Amino acid sequence: MSELLNETLSAQLIAYRHYFHEYPELSSKEFNTTKKIREILTSWGIRLLPTNLKTGVFAEIGQNDGPILGLRADIDALPIDEAANVTFRSKNPGVMHACGHDTHIVSLLGGAYLLKQQEQVLPGRVRLIFQLAEEADEGALQVIHDGKIKDLAAIIGFHNTPNQPVGQIGFRAGITSGAIDKFKVTLTGIGTHASAPQNGQDPIVALGAEIGALQTVISRQIDPLQGGVLSITHVAAGNTWNIIPETAFFEGTVRTTDKKIRQTIKTHFFDIVNNTAKAYGTTATITWYTGDPSVDNDKELTQIMIDESSQFTTTYDLQPRLGSDDFSCYQTYIPGVYANIGNGGTVSNHNSRFTAADETVIYGTKFFERNAIRLLKELSTN
Ligand SMILES: [Zn+2]
Ligand SMILES: [Zn+2]
């Protein structure tokens, strides 16, 4: 553990944590957050990198030769009115750090401060990535587009998590989160009088058949020992009792943890929707949105980080889940590790009563500092 992380610095970091919590900002609107992060980094003599993005901050610490390691923290908040009983409650009505990204921001600031003190001995560089718009599922792609990861050897980050003692760090090699896809389907038939269906083509009956048939994709086409989910969550058609409408609409989502299964589901989805539509005399228009892939942690780097982190805290095995984080977008280009750090709270993320203990940022600071130094050493000897 770094002796540099003394009481004065801890108190300063916790004060920053309260500040960011009090002034949360929505995705892509993190203007004050961006300004404040830049001010703090500049006051510590850390060099900022130019960017074309309006929010988010990029900076670097270390030597010019050697590998570059990305350290990522997401910085946005959610459109929720805070109901948590804390002294540093949100002062921006209707906006709240209900996902605890304030703890991510300050953990990366703390890590940056400590790494700056050791800049002369770093075997490479760290690039600080304070990422905008994670909740909107847009930020990582913008950071990639801004050219900020193309020369990185690897990237690491974490999410704070409730129902886990504060500071315990969860790791899992391989896939830890679901890949997200979204679909919208419009069935077009021929509208007619409800009393004379033979004069039209009823899209509502076709839609009913499709909903039933689509449930067979998971139950009949996917290995029962493997997983996936296909949910239809919104259906709309018609507007009165005596007209068969021209169109019927449904949308929903697919979540998977395996690339092949993801493709299999998509293929069968298109087959069933198109062929069923045809069998009922209608035509289908499908819009398929390919969302984030799964978080897929590099095995070797994960092992190194477990070894390093278990020297300053307790580590545990992270269970996979079907939620997502756009950190996974980085991992399609470079190896990365995304961990969880217990926040000591009991309320789930995205809830108006969500809380995270202040000490989360102390462990988060160590997480970035210790793992960055260790990984740079390992990456520079490879
Ligand atoms: Zn969130
Ligand atoms: Zn989050």
Side-chain angles (χ1 to χ4, degrees):
M1 193 172 318
S2 174
E3 291 85 54
L4 295 165
L5 184 46
N6 56 27
E7 261 173 52
T8 316
L9 179 61
S10 298
Q12 174 71 80
L13 292 176
I14 289 170
Y16 283 146
R17 189 269 161 128
H18 293 173
Y19 175 86
F20 286 110
H21 194 89
E22 283 176 347
Y23 300 100
E25 293 173 298
L26 295 175
S27 304
S28 296
K29 300 204 162 63
E30 311 95 335
F31 296 107
N32 177 62
T33 306
T34 295
K35 183 167 160 269
K36 184 76 177 174
I37 293 169
R38 292 174 70 96
E39 275 171 21
I40 295 169
L41 292 174
T42 306
S43 76
W44 291 340
I46 294 171
R47 63 179 180 276
L48 302 177
L49 298 180
T51 173
N52 292 317
L53 303 180
K54 292 195 173 62
T55 57
V57 180
F58 307 95
E60 272 188 5
I61 302 165
Q63 314 297 329
N64 278 332
D65 46 355
I68 314 174
L69 177 69
L71 308 180
R72 180 268 204 173
D74 41 7
I75 67 171
D76 54 334
L78 290 158
I80 292 177
D81 238 329
E82 178 151 18
N85 184 23
V86 291
T87 54
F88 46 95
R89 197 188 288 186
S90 169
K91 290 180 175 161
N92 292 344
V95 188
M96 175 190 178
H97 265 302
C99 206
H101 295 182
D102 52 328
T103 67
H104 304 174
I105 296 169
V106 177
S107 296
L108 186 50
L109 284 172
Y113 178 86
L114 296 178
L115 290 164
K116 178 67 182 169
Q117 311 310 307
Q118 302 163 81
E119 187 165 32
Q120 299 311 319
V121 295
L122 283 185
R125 264 183 281 171
V126 294
R127 180 166 304 153
L128 313 175
I129 297 172
F130 291 91
Q131 184 207 301
L132 71 160
E134 188 279 330
E135 298 291 359
D137 196 16
E138 292 167 357
L141 290 175
Q142 292 187 43
V143 170
I144 292 166
H145 200 73
D146 198 45
K148 291 298 186 292
I149 69 152
K150 60 178 190 288
D151 50 352
L152 297 184
I155 187 164
I156 65 170
F158 77 88
H159 208 290
N160 73 99
T161 188
N163 302 314
Q164 199 69 36
V166 64
Q168 289 196 1
I169 307 185
F171 288 101
R172 183 181 187 85
I175 286 178
T176 71
S177 81
I180 296 189
D181 294 312
K182 188 169 98 178
F183 54 80
K184 287 179 192 276
V185 176
T186 300
L187 299 172
T188 304
I190 298 171
T192 183
H193 197 286
S195 67
Q198 75 280 11
N199 294 334
Q201 294 291 356
D202 188 345
I204 292 182
V205 175
L207 184 145
E210 299 221 334
I211 290 174
L214 283 170
Q215 294 313 310
T216 67
V217 175
I218 304 294
S219 70
R220 302 293 87 178
Q221 305 296 344
I222 303 301
D223 180 344
L225 295 178
Q226 297 194 286
V229 62
L230 188 164
S231 292
I232 292 161
T233 53
H234 177 200
V235 171
N239 55 13
T240 189
W241 66 284
N242 60 355
I243 298 171
I244 292 173
E246 184 115 341
T247 63
F249 168 86
F250 66 94
E251 66 179 337
T253 184
V254 170
R255 305 292 171 101
T256 47
T257 56
D258 179 275
K259 283 182 198 135
K260 255 169 88 183
I261 290 178
R262 188 182 195 185
Q263 187 52 50
T264 303
I265 291 174
K266 185 179 175 184
T267 303
H268 286 286
F269 181 93
F270 273 75
D271 281 354
I272 287 175
V273 170
N274 283 324
N275 292 326
T276 307
K278 195 167 168 230
Y280 284 80
T282 60
T283 53
T285 309
I286 305 172
T287 312
W288 188 273
Y289 305 86
T290 302
D292 293 343
S294 297
V295 170
D296 189 354
N297 291 325
D298 183 88
K299 290 191 176 61
E300 212 177 312
L301 298 181
T302 302
Q303 213 43 56
I304 295 167
M305 291 174 71
I306 292 172
D307 181 62
E308 184 64 28
S309 302
S310 58
Q311 293 172 39
F312 63 84
T313 188
T314 305
T315 61
Y316 65 95
D317 293 330
L318 201 56
Q319 293 307 307
R321 55 186 190 93
L322 288 178
S324 75
D325 191 296
D326 71 359
F327 184 86
S328 61
C329 297
Y330 301 125
Q331 293 176 313
T332 60
Y333 297 95
I334 51 173
V337 179
Y338 181 77
N340 273 11
I341 300 186
N343 68 20
T346 54
V347 181
S348 76
N349 307 66
H350 293 211
N351 182 296
S352 62
R353 296 181 189 282
F354 171 85
T355 57
D358 283 338
E359 293 72 32
T360 310
V361 306
I362 305 303
Y363 287 95
T365 292
K366 288 180 200 164
F367 169 87
F368 280 122
E369 181 215 10
R370 294 282 304 257
N371 287 301
I373 292 171
R374 175 72 183 272
L375 287 174
L376 280 180
K377 276 184 195 152
E378 301 276 351
L379 290 165
S380 59
T381 53
N382 277 346

